[in-house]
Amino acid sequence: MATKWGLCSAGKISHDFTVALKTLPAEDHQVVAVAARNLEDAQEFANKHGISRAYGSYEELARDPDIDVVYVGVIHPYHLSTCLLFTKAKKNVLCEKPLAMNTKEVKEILASAKMNNVFLMEAVWTRFFPISVEIRRLLAQGAVGEVKMVRAEFGVPLMHIPRSVQKELGGGALLDLGIYCLQFICMVYNGEKPERIQATGFCLETGVDETVVVTLKFSNNRLAVFTCSLRVQLPNDAIIVGTKGIIKIPAHMWCPTSLVVNGKETQYPLPEPSLPLKFINSTGMRYEAEEVRQCLLKGLKESSVMSHADSLLLAEMEDEIRRQVGIVYSQDC
């Protein structure tokens, strides 16, 4: 029986998620409803993607009894309210990253999911790519010895996009781009909390961070460094350095299709989309969607690959980085 999806938002990311689902067997995944803030947008989206039901409010979607899981694709500041809406309605939820604006909100969402006995996962899609699976396997086997250093970069010129630079829209390099680097580091170090975080950067006049550089010290003298920026194009690669070798993602570290292990490169191509994508390599969202399906079939309430503890650690680290750089959102007050 297919997992029946409802979409909360009819924006660009929901478009790509829907296209990604279409690369999976129709007997496994079906989008049955979409909701937007106005009915016209929802109907236009539904017509484009062949979805049977369109709603002009998120509340209507929450009341739909024919939905197994809701994909939340609204912008960051609305993650808390929408996640609470659906968890309280006993709906399973896959919510776009970051799960919320700060640790306090993340704890509230996690508590609601637990109280209402529903599945919840932060949609850190990179975790589920075949390359990420392979990296975890290599590290578990000690393929590069003891990891001593991790470095990641993600910088793209986004100054022209209001969502990226406006504080009230949840803008800023860290929550939009840096989260990819941070989650990668957390994955490599197996969810270990760093002993020390040192962050520096600067903010735009709007009060959000433009560029941030972070150094993290872990136990046994292991380090990680990442840079994120809304201003400039960075190499956008990632590297894991061990005592016996090196693992490298040479490009697109947030949605990788190529992996270099001790100098040998392997390609991991993604399925071709049935419609033009809004963002690069978005058919890779198929992997997180399939993870949700497998968890639901097993009756799980969280994924072991991107667990509630993982989401909480990310939020706590993001809060500390923002504190050091001087980024304060209204949700923090």
Side-chain angles (χ1 to χ4, degrees), residues 231-306:
R231 173 73 70 175
V232 295
Q233 180 75 42
L234 293 174
N236 296 338
D237 59 357
I239 189 168
I240 303 167
V241 182
T243 54
K244 297 180 181 179
I246 295 174
I247 298 172
K248 184 176 182 180
I249 295 175
H252 308 313
M253 61 81 54
W254 73 99
C255 53
T257 57
S258 176
L259 186 67
V260 180
V261 181
N262 295 330
K264 182 180 179 180
E265 185 169 4
T266 304
Q267 300 293 325
Y268 295 78
L270 296 171
E272 289 297 316
S274 57
L275 290 172
L277 297 168
K278 305 298 183 181
F279 305 102
I280 187 171
N281 290 350
S282 281
T283 52
M285 287 194 281
R286 72 199 303 266
Y287 302 114
E288 65 179 2
E290 181 59 22
E291 172 72 6
V292 171
R293 172 174 166 79
Q294 292 304 316
C295 287
L296 294 180
L297 289 174
K298 296 171 185 176
L300 302 176
K301 303 306 176 185
E302 61 181 299
S303 165
S304 61
V305 179
M306 188 64 208

Side-chain angles (χ1 to χ4, degrees), residues 97-103 106 122 174-176 178-180 182-183 197 226 310-325 327 329:
K97 71 221 161 304
L99 183 56
M101 294 296 293
N102 55 34
T103 301
V106 166
E122 183 176 5
L174 178 64
L175 294 188
D176 205 15
I179 186 173
Y180 285 100
L182 194 56
Q183 75 80 26
I197 298 175
F226 79 86
D310 292 326
S311 292
L312 187 57
L313 177 61
L314 274 179
E316 291 172 345
M317 295 168 73
E318 289 159 357
D319 281 2
E320 175 59 20
I321 293 167
R322 290 196 296 111
R323 185 192 67 79
Q324 293 186 28
V325 178
I327 310 149
Y329 295 104

Side-chain angles (χ1 to χ4, degrees), residues 176-247:
D176 205 15
L177 306 178
I179 186 173
Y180 285 100
C181 304
L182 194 56
Q183 75 80 26
F184 180 77
I185 292 166
C186 290
M187 183 188 76
V188 172
Y189 285 133
N190 201 29
E192 180 180 331
K193 187 174 183 177
E195 295 178 346
R196 186 176 182 184
I197 298 175
Q198 290 181 292
T200 187
F202 49 88
C203 297
L204 300 170
E205 291 182 359
T206 58
V208 304
D209 52 309
E210 178 199 293
T211 300
V212 175
V213 180
V214 182
T215 302
L216 305 103
K217 181 182 178 182
F218 292 83
S219 63
N220 300 320
N221 296 320
R222 295 169 298 150
L223 296 172
V225 179
F226 79 86
T227 304
C228 56
S229 178
L230 299 173
R231 173 73 70 175
V232 295
Q233 180 75 42
L234 293 174
N236 296 338
D237 59 357
I239 189 168
I240 303 167
V241 182
T243 54
K244 297 180 181 179
I246 295 174
I247 298 172

Side-chain angles (χ1 to χ4, degrees), residues 48-203:
K48 184 175 185 177
H49 292 281
I51 300 170
S52 59
R53 295 192 292 280
Y55 298 120
S57 72
Y58 302 150
E59 289 77 13
E60 290 175 275
L61 182 63
R63 292 194 295 268
D64 190 326
D66 193 34
I67 291 173
D68 297 316
V69 57
V70 176
Y71 171 75
V72 174
V74 298
I75 61 174
H76 311 160
Y78 298 102
H79 286 183
L80 175 63
S81 60
T82 49
C83 282
L84 293 182
L85 170 67
F86 294 116
T87 54
K88 290 177 180 178
K90 309 295 183 182
K91 293 288 190 289
N92 300 303
V93 173
L94 173 64
C95 179
E96 265 306 328
K97 71 221 161 304
L99 183 56
M101 294 296 293
N102 55 34
T103 301
K104 179 182 177 181
E105 289 191 348
V106 166
K107 288 181 176 179
E108 192 172 349
I109 292 171
L110 296 180
S112 180
K114 183 177 181 180
M115 180 182 298
N116 292 286
N117 196 33
V118 295
F119 174 87
L120 174 78
M121 189 177 87
E122 183 176 5
V124 182
W125 61 319
T126 311
R127 284 276 172 109
F128 305 95
F129 270 58
I131 282 178
S132 295
V133 175
E134 178 64 7
I135 288 173
R136 291 194 294 272
R137 186 188 71 81
L138 290 169
L139 294 177
Q141 292 181 347
V144 294
E146 182 187 2
V147 175
K148 302 300 290 185
M149 168 64 75
V150 182
R151 179 187 58 77
E153 296 183 345
F154 194 2
V156 182
L158 297 175
M159 300 292 290
H160 60 291
I161 299 178
R163 182 185 66 80
S164 296
V165 299
Q166 295 298 323
K167 181 180 285 191
E168 63 271 20
L169 300 180
L174 178 64
L175 294 188
D176 205 15
L177 306 178
I179 186 173
Y180 285 100
C181 304
L182 194 56
Q183 75 80 26
F184 180 77
I185 292 166
C186 290
M187 183 188 76
V188 172
Y189 285 133
N190 201 29
E192 180 180 331
K193 187 174 183 177
E195 295 178 346
R196 186 176 182 184
I197 298 175
Q198 290 181 292
T200 187
F202 49 88
C203 297

